[in-house]
Amino acid sequence: MTELSKARRAAVTVLLAAGLGLGLAPVAQADARADAQAAPGAPVPVPAGELAQARSAVQDPSVLDKVGHFFARKGVPPTQQLTIGAAEEAKAAGDAAPRLAGDTVPVYTLDAGFVAGTPGAPVAEAEFTASKVVAADGQSASVWTVRQGDAWRVVNIASGGDESDYAAKAADGGGTAFREPQVNAWYVLRDGRVLPLDDEARRSVGAGGVSLAAYQKLVHQRYGDKLPGSAYDRAGKGGGYDVNAAGEAGQAGQAANATVTTATGSGRSDGGSTLPAVTAAAALGATALVGAGAALRRRRSAG
């Protein structure tokens, strides 16, 4: 295992130690699943009522206080000392005056069933929701929430607002944003095509994108032998997925672990869940699977 892989696994351990051992309850209704079938490959949407509940969790004063401290620390993990004292940190947290900006959005991640070629599988499934929060000095952060039983719980804070920004960019042109965390790429599914939203995605599929069928073949080639239950998965390998080494010249670099997962590794629950029943280890598996160190470093636990 590489040193980079060890560091990323350690990051997940820190998140789990923060008390994130929780499960997500089903949130989508059967009619939402049926509606989604009208657009082949489209992720099942998360109902507006669920997004409103997730947003309400972020608006809790105790959560906003945590976000204020996140801004005050300017990316320094809570396990490390600041050059300022606790009183100064508390003042800076109050001065940050964090407020929500934009919509709370579902974050869709490449689906294992789609990679495997399962008929009717969506290109991605909702993994968590994200709410963008901004500070008085212009800093921004993405607050992640998952559903536990009948309530939504904040599980992570990440600097910047990629999750909300890419969702908004995709929606402007009529489409759904999703990510392929193994190469840290963001795409939009629009009119049966997978189009790039960031540089990593452009290196992956080209500036003009590819058809949904071509993208399925691409990700099957990359990860078809690395799905949950595969020999790769059982071996616990984490050395990274290098698309260049796989012969895909000019595409994005290494990932921490190329195993493709949905939250459970087995698709939706019997109840038609958009966010399947998962453990926090799986829900925050993106922390271990993001393809670039910069993306990893922007994430930290909210616990």
Side-chain angles (χ1 to χ4, degrees):
M1 185 182 296
T2 65
E3 290 303 316
L4 180 59
S5 179
K6 289 179 181 178
R8 287 173 176 168
R9 287 182 181 273
V12 176
T13 302
V14 170
L15 289 174
L16 297 181
L20 304 183
L22 48 107
L24 300 188
V27 297
Q29 303 301 317
D31 57 349
R33 293 183 65 185
D35 291 344
Q37 301 309 309
V44 178
V46 177
E50 296 290 341
L51 294 176
Q53 292 178 41
R55 187 178 185 83
S56 179
V58 178
Q59 291 173 316
D60 185 279
S62 65
V63 171
L64 292 178
D65 179 67
K66 284 189 171 79
V67 179
H69 281 272
F70 178 89
F71 288 137
R73 299 184 70 88
K74 298 186 184 299
V76 177
T79 55
Q80 296 181 19
Q81 291 291 327
L82 289 176
T83 56
I84 60 175
E88 292 170 287
E89 179 186 342
K91 182 179 185 305
D95 291 343
R99 61 179 178 80
L100 273 73
D103 297 328
T104 294
V105 299
V107 179
Y108 298 103
T109 299
L110 182 63
D111 177 61
F114 179 81
V115 173
T118 303
V123 67
E125 283 202 308
E127 189 176 15
F128 55 91
T129 69
S131 303
K132 187 174 183 177
V133 180
V134 297
D137 64 359
Q139 291 186 79
S140 62
S142 179
V143 181
W144 299 4
T145 50
V146 296
R147 187 176 173 186
Q148 181 183 19
D150 293 332
W152 284 83
R153 180 178 173 185
V154 173
V155 295
N156 197 45
I157 302 172
S159 61
D162 287 357
E163 293 79 11
S164 299
D165 293 347
Y166 285 126
K169 185 181 293 186
D172 281 345
T176 303
F178 71 95
R179 61 192 188 124
E180 182 185 339
Q182 295 78 14
V183 291
N184 197 35
W186 284 89
Y187 308 91
V188 56
L189 177 64
R190 181 180 294 141
D191 299 328
R193 291 187 64 79
V194 175
L195 306 170
L197 288 175
D198 66 0
D199 289 340
E200 288 81 5
R202 278 184 284 276
R203 286 192 288 269
S204 173
V205 300
V210 295
S211 69
L212 183 63
Y215 181 69
Q216 192 280 324
K217 291 179 180 178
L218 176 63
V219 294
H220 182 78
Q221 178 184 6
R222 289 176 179 170
Y223 317 121
D225 61 347
K226 300 174 178 67
L227 291 165
S230 66
Y232 182 97
D233 183 29
R234 291 194 301 273
K237 293 182 179 179
Y241 179 78
D242 186 344
V243 295
N244 292 315
E248 298 172 40
Q251 295 177 359
Q254 294 183 344
N257 185 326
T259 302
V260 179
T261 66
T262 57
T264 61
S266 59
R268 296 190 191 92
S269 68
D270 292 339
S273 170
T274 294
L275 295 177
V278 304
T279 63
L284 296 179
T287 306
L289 295 177
V290 286
L296 175 77
R297 287 192 296 272
R298 66 183 284 270
R299 289 164 169 77
R300 57 152 276 190
S301 168

